[in-house]
Amino acid sequence: MTDEIIPSLHDYAEPALDRAFAAVLDEARRQAENAHFDKEAFRLRWLGRKQGRLKMIGDAWLKSAPDEARKLIGQRFNSLKEQIEGYLEDGAQAVQNLETALDITLPGARQRVGIEHPLIKTMHEVVAVFQRMGYSVGVGPEVETDFYNFESLNFPPNHPARDTQDTLVVAGQEQKPLRERLLMRTHTSPVQIRAMEKHAPPLRIVIPGKVHRNDAADATHSPIFHQVEGLCVDTNITFSDLKGTLDHAMKALFGSSVKTRFYPSFFPFTEPSADVQISCIFCNGRGCRKCKHSGWIELLGCGMVDPAVFGFVGYDPKKYSGFAFGMGVDRIAMMKYGISDIGLLYSGDMRFLEQFA
Ligand code: PHE
């Protein structure tokens, strides 16, 4: 360090002093900006008490200065020192920034990629099975009128069948006639009516969507869940068409070895009505805890469209017949992915969701 050149000073006029100090400052600045800046080395080199460059330059310049110039040099010297101290901090900061930007030993800043929620994924799968059979896809409102959710589906006012779908109603509707009152749809079936009002037969449509019921949440119930509704209307549609279609759909969803069975049931808007059961996918129908040792799992409701429903939409029941079905997407997703608590599908818990990435 001692062998470094100490710039000499001969001219003590103020502009010359300014230039000389500026040159020293420039030298320090360039060193502070060096990519290999080392804070301790810089401090020793410039601010070291005995051998520091600042001290040596100061001594040299003051020693040879005439008395009138000493004050001018002293002032400039103090401000030079302050600025070099500033460079010491700036340089350290710059290096730190550089290190943060380039430290290849740190874990990378990972870009998280979104995935389809298991429910939506399952819903798309179900819909796709029917699209391949020529079905179109429709949607309808989640807030419905009593007319679409119940009356037009042949649930007359006060009919006990309404009690099977514990309904969440919109407040403050009591002044309206019953059929206009708003409620959260309890099933996707009202969209059957909306589709038939809009389109003349023949019609083949699936309707995926969210539905709401005033059910207490437990491992298998959620007040919000999802259904895929299906409707097929044409001339000469029979129960065999219904059976063949749903048997194919269940095999497409759960594997070709799955068997289906149609069990008599009741829905006001289909006649006859059936519940569809599939052979238990966990034990191949031998009987296990999942199927309550029956070998069968109930998956959906279906039936032939009741002629009374055609009456509500102006379809001629003598000319046309049709079938409808509705299945719970949550159930299907839980079976496909081995999910034991429906609440997980609505928890937004990343530890759960990340498993589907
Ligand atoms: N909407 C019925 C339910 O949610 C299911 C269903 C749809 C039954 C279509 C028959 C035909 O319970």
Side-chain angles (χ1 to χ4, degrees), residues 6-267:
I6 303 292
S8 49
L9 196 60
H10 307 291
D11 187 346
Y12 296 98
E14 286 201 50
L17 289 178
D18 286 340
R19 271 196 304 280
F21 274 94
V24 176
L25 187 64
D26 195 49
E27 184 189 332
R29 183 183 54 77
R30 271 185 278 114
Q31 288 174 13
E33 284 172 0
N34 189 300
H36 301 291
F37 178 83
D38 175 335
K39 185 177 183 182
E40 192 47 28
F42 183 89
R43 197 189 61 73
L44 263 177
R45 178 192 187 89
W46 285 96
L47 303 165
R49 276 168 189 277
K50 289 186 184 134
Q51 302 278 296
R53 197 153 165 73
L54 214 50
K55 161 99 168 102
M56 299 210 295
I57 293 172
D59 285 353
W61 287 1
L62 278 172
K63 207 179 286 165
S64 55
D67 285 350
E68 351 42 285
R70 283 175 189 272
K71 196 173 164 206
L72 298 175
I73 293 173
Q75 283 167 350
R76 283 167 177 73
F77 195 80
N78 286 338
S79 106
L80 175 68
K81 187 167 177 233
E82 261 174 43
Q83 292 185 76
I84 288 179
E85 281 165 354
Y87 286 160
L88 183 69
E89 293 312 316
D90 292 350
Q93 188 61 49
V95 167
Q96 204 180 15
N97 292 344
L98 203 65
E99 277 170 356
T100 331
L102 290 182
D103 187 350
I104 57 164
T105 66
L106 287 173
R110 189 179 303 182
Q111 185 71 45
R112 299 174 75 112
V113 177
I115 55 141
E116 231 175 10
H117 189 280
L119 257 176
I120 301 302
K121 186 176 164 147
T122 306
M123 196 144 85
H124 285 160
E125 275 174 38
V126 175
V127 166
V129 166
F130 289 96
Q131 280 182 303
R132 290 197 286 272
M133 288 192 270
Y135 281 66
S136 54
V137 186
V139 288
E142 265 176 69
V143 180
E144 263 298 5
T145 59
D146 187 277
F147 176 77
Y148 282 108
N149 197 79
F150 290 125
E151 193 180 333
S152 64
L153 288 163
N154 210 23
F155 291 81
N158 301 317
H159 193 281
R162 289 182 173 227
D163 298 345
T164 63
Q165 304 194 354
D166 209 347
T167 311
L168 292 159
V169 299
V170 174
Q173 303 285 301
E174 295 79 7
Q175 300 318 110
K176 295 182 182 170
L178 179 65
R179 52 162 54 190
E180 288 171 28
R181 293 184 198 166
L182 298 174
L183 45 81
M184 303 307 290
R185 70 177 178 195
T186 56
H187 51 175
T188 42
S189 300
V191 195
Q192 285 187 36
I193 306 294
R194 291 184 177 275
M196 287 189 282
E197 282 179 342
K198 255 217 197 112
H199 307 283
L203 187 62
R204 279 195 295 271
I205 188 169
V206 277
I207 302 128
K210 199 179 280 177
V211 301
H212 305 252
R213 288 190 198 176
N214 189 16
D215 286 335
D218 63 25
T220 55
H221 293 86
S222 161
I224 295 176
F225 57 103
H226 295 75
Q227 290 186 332
V228 173
E229 188 85 12
L231 175 69
C232 168
V233 183
D234 205 336
T235 51
N236 301 314
I237 297 290
T238 67
F239 201 90
S240 320
D241 297 313
L242 170 59
K243 286 188 80 173
T245 302
L246 290 181
D247 186 70
H248 168 78
M250 293 303 115
K251 285 179 163 64
L253 286 172
F254 294 103
S256 55
S257 62
V258 152
K259 293 187 183 64
T260 52
R261 135 171 136 170
F262 290 70
Y263 209 79
S265 184
F266 174 78
F267 300 101

Side-chain angles (χ1 to χ4, degrees), residues 270-288:
T270 48
E271 181 61 31
S273 303
D275 285 329
V276 181
Q277 304 175 342
I278 63 166
S279 53
C280 181
I281 58 165
F282 302 105
C283 63
N284 287 322
R286 277 188 291 276
C288 66

